[in-house]
Amino acid sequence: ISLAAHANAFDGTARGTVTYHYEGDYTPVTGSSALAESVQDAMMDAILTTWDADWYDRGVKTAAFSELSTYHNDEMPAALVELAFHDNELDAWYLKEPTFRRDMSRAMAHGIVRYFAERDGVVPAYLPEPPTALVVRHRDDGALWAEWAPGPSGGVYGDPASSYRVYRSSDGRSWD
């Protein structure tokens, strides 16, 4: 797939998120519409659930953007996200917020996973969130003891982790 992420602009008053797929002089790649729908749905779910219940869902639209055109890409489904309006003060605040960008990246990834799962007729499996509350302590015998709590799961987050892998480094540059 090809997924482009952009910020939009108009006249400073427009807000919200829209995802485009190709419609123009060339035959669209099969799956582009489904990809755009899946990504838009996942982003809107994340925004409305965790950020702003009044966020404007501009929906899924078609356009003849060169970036989406099958003249340039006739082999893979493609979509283009306009996440928010960088010329709107409130939307720009969200775009500058690192946690919002992380959450939107996760949502786009979930939309991609959902797209492939639906296409292939399987249940989607989402990456778990990183663990939280990490603590490393020296024990009396000189060994290190690591503890953590599982990251959030379900809803707009990933699936629960089934296990963890701990890597060590004796020199801070290479890992076992």
Side-chain angles (χ1 to χ4, degrees):
I1 62 137
S2 172
L3 181 64
H6 292 223
N8 217 339
F10 182 61
D11 66 0
T13 63
R15 295 197 63 221
T17 302
V18 61
T19 302
Y20 291 94
H21 60 93
Y22 179 75
E23 184 176 288
D25 295 337
Y26 305 97
T27 303
V29 174
T30 300
S32 293
S33 174
L35 173 64
E37 291 280 350
S38 186
V39 169
Q40 179 75 9
D41 288 349
M43 287 189 310
M44 290 311 302
D45 185 34
I47 292 170
L48 296 173
T49 301
T50 60
W51 285 94
D52 184 345
D54 296 323
W55 191 267
Y56 185 57
D57 181 355
R58 302 181 76 82
V60 173
K61 298 181 181 179
T62 60
F65 297 142
S66 179
E67 194 167 354
L68 297 175
S69 173
T70 51
Y71 176 79
H72 300 292
N73 162 31
D74 64 355
E75 297 180 359
M76 67 182 98
L80 185 149
V81 171
E82 295 281 5
L83 182 55
F85 284 78
H86 59 260
D87 64 348
N88 177 283
E89 186 176 353
L90 186 54
D91 273 20
W93 180 88
Y94 283 101
L95 289 171
K96 290 189 258 180
E97 176 59 43
T99 307
F100 179 78
R101 293 192 312 269
R102 181 207 57 211
D103 289 353
M104 292 308 95
S105 296
R106 180 196 312 112
M108 287 181 223
H110 282 202
I112 292 167
V113 168
R114 189 178 309 144
Y115 163 77
F116 280 110
E118 288 175 3
R119 185 197 71 176
D120 297 342
V122 298
V123 175
Y126 303 108
L127 289 173
E129 291 298 302
T132 60
L134 175 62
V135 176
V136 179
R137 293 186 176 97
H138 275 264
R139 293 191 330 197
D140 290 340
D141 63 3
L144 294 175
W145 182 261
E147 296 177 353
W148 57 85
S153 62
V156 299
Y157 300 106
D159 290 336
S162 59
S163 65
Y164 294 93
R165 182 172 295 175
V166 177
Y167 291 91
R168 300 177 304 157
S169 173
S170 60
D171 62 7
R173 290 179 286 216
S174 60
W175 302 88
D176 66 0

